Amino acid sequence: MNPINIIQSTFVPLPIENVDTDQIIPARFLKSSEKEGFGTHLFNDWRYLPDGTPNPDFVLNKSKYSGEILVAGKNFGCGSSREHAAWALAGQGFRAVVSSYFADIFQNNALNNGLLPVQVTQPFLQEIFAQKSESTLTINLYDCWIQIDKTGSRCQFPISSYKQECLLNGFSDIDYLISMESEIEAYEKNTRATA
Amino acid sequence: MKKTLFDKIWEKHIVREVQDDLYVLYIDKHLIHEVTSPQAFASLEKRGLKVLRPQQILATADHNVPTTDQDLPIKDDLSAKQVALLTENCKKHGIELFGLGHPYQGIVHVIGPELGITQPGMTIVCGDSHTSTHGAFGTVAFGIGTSEVEMVLATQCLLQTKPRQMRIEVNGTLSSGVTAKDVILYIISQLGTGGATGHFVEYSGNTIRTLSMEGRMTVCNMSIEMGARGGLIAPDEITFNYLEGKPFAPKGHEWEKAKNKWSFLTTDDGAHFDKIYHFQAENIPPMVTYGTHPGMGIPVDVAVPFLNSTGQEASGEGLEKALNYMGLQSGQFMSGIPVQHVFIGSCTNARVEDFRLAASVVKGKKKHDRIRALIVPGSQQVAKQLSEEGLDKIFEEAGFVIRQPGCSACLAMNGDTIPSGEYCVSTSNRNFEGRQGNGARTILASPLTAALACITGEISDIRSYPFTHINN
């Protein structure tokens, strides 16, 4: 996993609430057995017209919006547990998603792929949406804040110190868990004994 | 200290407390399927790791399998490859697979319970959000992503934050024509699609207590649709009666021992919940959804909300977008809307009791000409029960064809899709845009309401339609 520390970028606004993972990546694209290649289908059915051409009204097809940060309405990533949603966002080049809250499973999937979920207050979210397209945001994972660079307005975001350290260093949960092998075996032995 | 049922199960599975609220949690049972596991196995192998406890894993093929001609090779190359990879991975790692053609094959959340693999007090995970279904047995069961599938394969553990806890109590007697599906659609319509995010829900109250295991599974199944990490119900005699004699349930002396142990799985009086909701069963009508997430549900005899209404789920841009997608208008009544498709299936409502309900409505009637119905049993065992109880004949005589088990049109991965712009009354769990096919318009409902739409060709109120319940 690539470490994250500071992200400074323009952002892509998606002021829609309850964006579910079926919108992020529709089920018919889950037939691949790889982790790569989902980026082109990110938001497929909003992004492309039925004939496959880009939908000019969708934000990813508007040349004035780009960047490594997606900013979306509340409850982003609800629905299916498909990690393909996080892979598709990362595949498109996003490194952080900002919303007023995230669905639990999506949040874990994002963290496990080095995609930073940044939870901000509802007023701060609206403040970001009010910015012009050339406006940049800075996300500082050392101190857990996000800033609208033009105004200097800041919002702290929550993250456990364990996850913060993982992301800053590019560590994965699996490395931590593997290091616990003997403790896991001891737990199993103890549980069997008391069953 | 007073503890909730959730606390008791969680604490018993802590291997290490990492820091406040972050734990290494031991997983008793890991269920896997063809769509969310291949990348986990590939990554595991890349790291040179083995599957730590293959005997605690169970695999099936369900999400991406055809519901016709299952004995023939799968036509879609990518689907065939996914199913073949699952078979190969299970063989390589010594994991039991109930694949296509196996008498125990079926939707992962149908087979776990019906085979007695799901047992009270367990921690259960699966790379599927509807893993919450297993909570009906008093388990801590939740959906995970593929990276987490890999972690469980490698270590039988997960790093998890302890969720907050919510109790939802339902008391009173359900009206005729109102099912467990209506109960959960009603609850979600009240709490909203993100109303339980960050929480684990315990369902209680005498309405929940009187539900069958099938009904309890329907309720727990849709916990995720209000954002909950999972949902659970304390086990009782109904749970024990359901499990007794199931193929993988304990037998003889072991059964008595297990039952005794399970009977302690309750929430202590006065245990702390972060949020508590009360609902009265008599207030719950047959429900349908009108929008594009499961929180957008209303009583079948009520009009679609207006943009300026103050309801939690009925305001602003989201509603306008949803109604445009659904081809519906504020103020329009749901009952009377002509529909083209009905899907009776999915991990929410594809157990034998669901088909008994549906058969009660269609018995002696003929399918409406307009309707194309997908009747998809949740498992081979359910299909067998349908035929043993003669329910298959009832559907066939009414003009339906019963498909072979799988997730089918719930997520429409396998080609069982609803055409763009057409309506489908569906017993499944999600009415998201495009869920049942690009442009498909899903109306979630109970098996009774879905079966009635098969006959009338439109959304109808089951309360004004006489039928006799078929019992086991």
Side-chain angles (χ1 to χ4, degrees):
Chain A
M1 216 160 65
N2 293 326
I4 299 179
N5 39 53
I6 290 169
I7 302 170
Q8 185 174 39
S9 167
T10 50
F11 66 95
V12 176
L14 188 69
I16 299 174
E17 296 180 345
N18 307 312
V19 174
D20 59 79
T21 52
D22 275 83
Q23 306 320 311
I24 300 172
I25 181 88
R28 62 184 187 281
F29 301 111
L30 308 188
K31 293 183 181 185
S32 162
S33 302
E34 316 290 327
K35 286 185 184 178
E36 287 80 31
F38 293 102
T40 51
H41 296 299
L42 176 69
F43 298 117
N44 191 86
D45 295 349
W46 288 348
R47 186 172 173 182
Y48 305 107
L49 295 169
D51 66 1
T53 57
N55 174 2
D57 294 333
F58 188 65
V59 67
L60 286 181
N61 299 321
K62 292 180 179 173
S63 55
K64 67 174 182 171
Y65 294 110
S66 64
E68 296 180 333
I69 304 169
L70 178 73
V71 183
K74 71 168 186 186
N75 196 23
F76 185 82
C78 60
S80 159
S81 62
R82 62 189 70 162
E83 194 161 315
H84 312 65
W87 298 334
L89 287 159
Q92 173 71 24
F94 288 113
R95 297 175 68 206
V97 186
V98 181
S99 182
S100 56
Y101 70 90
F102 296 91
D104 296 320
I105 307 177
F106 173 79
Q107 178 151 306
N108 282 349
N109 288 342
L111 288 167
N112 285 329
N113 285 280
L115 176 71
L116 182 64
V118 178
Q119 188 183 335
V120 298
T121 63
Q122 191 65 28
F124 192 80
L125 189 67
Q126 294 312 319
E127 227 178 295
I128 300 177
F129 285 137
Q131 299 303 308
K132 294 211 169 79
S133 60
E134 64 274 17
S135 169
T136 58
L137 305 174
T138 300
I139 297 167
N140 181 322
L141 183 58
Y142 296 109
D143 300 319
C144 303
W145 52 253
I146 174 170
Q147 168 180 280
I148 300 170
D149 292 333
K150 197 177 161 203
T151 63
S153 176
R154 274 188 192 181
C155 184
Q156 291 290 133
F157 62 86
I159 187 164
S160 76
S161 51
Y162 164 83
K163 275 291 172 194
Q164 183 190 22
E165 201 188 321
C166 283
L167 290 170
L168 286 169
N169 295 292
F171 297 157
S172 304
D173 282 1
I174 194 159
D175 300 323
Y176 184 95
L177 292 170
I178 289 165
S179 74
M180 286 184 55
E181 196 181 338
S182 56
E183 209 171 325
I184 293 167
E185 277 174 11
Y187 168 89
E188 288 177 325
K189 221 170 163 180
N190 185 40
T191 307
R192 269 195 299 271
T194 56
Chain B
M1 198 180 136
K2 313 278 189 198
K3 288 176 182 171
T4 64
L5 168 58
F6 177 84
D7 289 330
K8 292 178 188 177
I9 300 172
W10 181 275
E11 284 168 16
K12 211 169 177 307
H13 290 84
I14 295 172
V15 180
R16 182 194 283 181
E17 183 172 353
V18 180
Q19 55 178 230
D20 278 354
D21 281 342
L22 184 69
Y23 298 89
V24 174
L25 197 70
Y26 190 81
I27 304 303
D28 293 320
K29 198 59 75 177
H30 186 193
L31 309 170
I32 60 172
H33 63 83
E34 76 278 24
V35 175
T36 58
S37 68
Q39 293 91 343
F41 281 108
S43 179
L44 192 77
E45 279 167 30
K46 218 167 128 189
R47 290 179 209 270
L49 295 171
K50 284 194 176 123
V51 174
L52 184 70
R53 298 286 175 254
Q55 71 283 8
Q56 285 169 244
I57 308 173
L58 174 72
T60 192
D62 57 359
H63 277 64
N64 196 8
V65 299
T67 53
T68 53
D69 299 326
Q70 284 185 352
D71 53 327
L72 299 176
I74 298 174
K75 284 179 195 152
D76 182 289
D77 285 346
L78 286 171
S79 307
K81 191 183 164 201
Q82 269 190 341
V83 173
L85 262 177
L86 180 72
T87 310
E88 192 185 311
N89 285 327
C90 288
K91 203 170 164 190
K92 201 187 295 177
H93 296 281
I95 295 166
E96 181 141 46
L97 167 67
F98 298 149
L100 288 182
H102 194 286
Y104 289 161
Q105 180 265 339
I107 303 175
V108 64
H109 310 309
V110 174
I111 68 172
E114 78 182 0
L115 296 174
I117 290 163
T118 302
Q119 294 170 15
M122 283 181 167
T123 46
I124 300 177
V125 295
C126 174
D128 186 278
S129 60
H130 293 109
T131 307
S132 58
T133 312
H134 305 265
F137 292 78
T139 70
V140 168
F142 53 92
I144 57 176
T146 298
S147 295
E148 292 173 314
V149 169
E150 184 190 349
M151 292 173 208
V152 183
L153 290 176
T155 68
Q156 207 57 36
C157 286
L158 279 174
L159 267 155
Q160 290 289 301
T161 308
K162 191 178 183 191
R164 293 188 293 277
Q165 295 184 61
M166 178 185 288
R167 170 173 250 175
I168 296 179
E169 203 172 309
V170 189
N171 285 297
T173 308
L174 291 172
S175 312
S176 172
V178 177
T179 68
K181 180 64 166 289
D182 302 296
V183 172
I184 190 64
L185 282 174
Y186 178 82
I187 293 171
I188 301 166
S189 77
Q190 300 299 305
L191 268 66
T193 190
T197 300
H199 292 77
F200 219 95
V201 178
E202 181 176 350
Y203 300 95
S204 62
N206 58 32
T207 311
I208 301 294
R209 284 273 147 251
T210 50
L211 289 178
S212 65
M213 286 317 295
E214 285 87 345
R216 293 179 190 186
M217 283 188 257
T218 301
V219 170
C220 289
N221 172 277
M222 289 192 73
S223 302
I224 181 74
E225 308 311 336
M226 50 189 174
R229 203 71 185 84
L232 82 172
I233 296 171
D236 58 14
E237 282 302 317
I238 292 177
T239 321
F240 306 148
N241 290 339
Y242 176 96
L243 281 173
E244 189 168 11
K246 294 278 190 278
F248 291 86
K251 305 272 181 321
H253 174 65
E254 287 300 314
W255 169 254
E256 292 305 323
K257 220 172 104 183
K259 210 166 76 161
N260 181 52
K261 196 173 75 177
W262 296 339
S263 62
F264 291 97
L265 292 169
T266 55
T267 287
D268 298 333
D269 284 340
H272 173 76
F273 286 91
D274 299 278
K275 279 185 186 168
I276 299 177
Y277 292 93
H278 294 274
F279 296 105
Q280 201 57 41
E282 289 79 3
N283 296 337
I284 304 176
M287 297 287 292
V288 289
T289 59
Y290 58 87
T292 51
H293 68 64
M296 292 176 160
I298 46 171
V300 66
D301 58 343
V302 163
V304 174
F306 285 87
L307 291 177
N308 58 359
S309 59
T310 52
Q312 188 168 16
E313 293 304 313
S315 59
E317 200 183 336
L319 178 61
E320 195 177 347
K321 190 173 184 298
L323 293 184
N324 280 338
Y325 180 86
M326 291 298 291
L328 296 172
Q329 275 153 15
S330 296
Q332 181 178 5
F333 280 87
M334 291 301 288
S335 54
I337 292 174
V339 300
Q340 296 80 25
H341 305 266
V342 172
F343 171 51
I344 303 181
S346 86
C347 58
T348 313
N349 281 123
R351 299 178 182 86
V352 69
E353 184 181 276
D354 302 311
F355 292 102
R356 280 189 207 123
L357 286 171
S360 306
V361 176
V362 305
K363 190 175 184 180
K365 304 286 188 304
K366 289 282 176 210
K367 175 180 91 65
H368 191 283
D369 287 344
R370 180 165 56 223
I371 296 292
R372 173 181 164 255
L374 282 159
I375 314 274
V376 188
S379 69
Q380 296 290 349
Q381 292 295 300
V382 172
K384 194 168 145 230
Q385 277 173 292
L386 291 189
S387 115
E388 281 166 6
E389 295 185 19
L391 300 175
D392 56 343
K393 294 279 173 306
I394 296 175
F395 287 109
E396 280 158 20
E397 280 162 17
F400 301 104
V401 178
I402 294 179
R403 298 281 187 124
Q404 291 170 306
C407 297
S408 182
C410 175
L411 80 167
M413 263 192 91
N414 71 337
D416 293 348
T417 57
I418 307 303
S420 182
E422 298 192 4
Y423 290 107
C424 178
V425 181
S426 179
T427 67
S428 56
N429 39 58
R430 289 187 174 135
N431 51 342
F432 297 148
E433 283 185 32
R435 174 80 179 178
Q436 295 192 292
N438 195 1
R441 292 166 168 171
T442 304
I443 297 166
L444 301 177
S446 76
L448 286 176
T449 302
L452 185 54
C454 287
I455 304 302
T456 62
E458 56 189 44
I459 309 279
S460 309
D461 189 338
I462 190 71
R463 290 169 300 187
S464 45
Y465 186 90
F467 68 95
T468 310
H469 274 285
I470 296 172
N471 293 313
N472 183 7

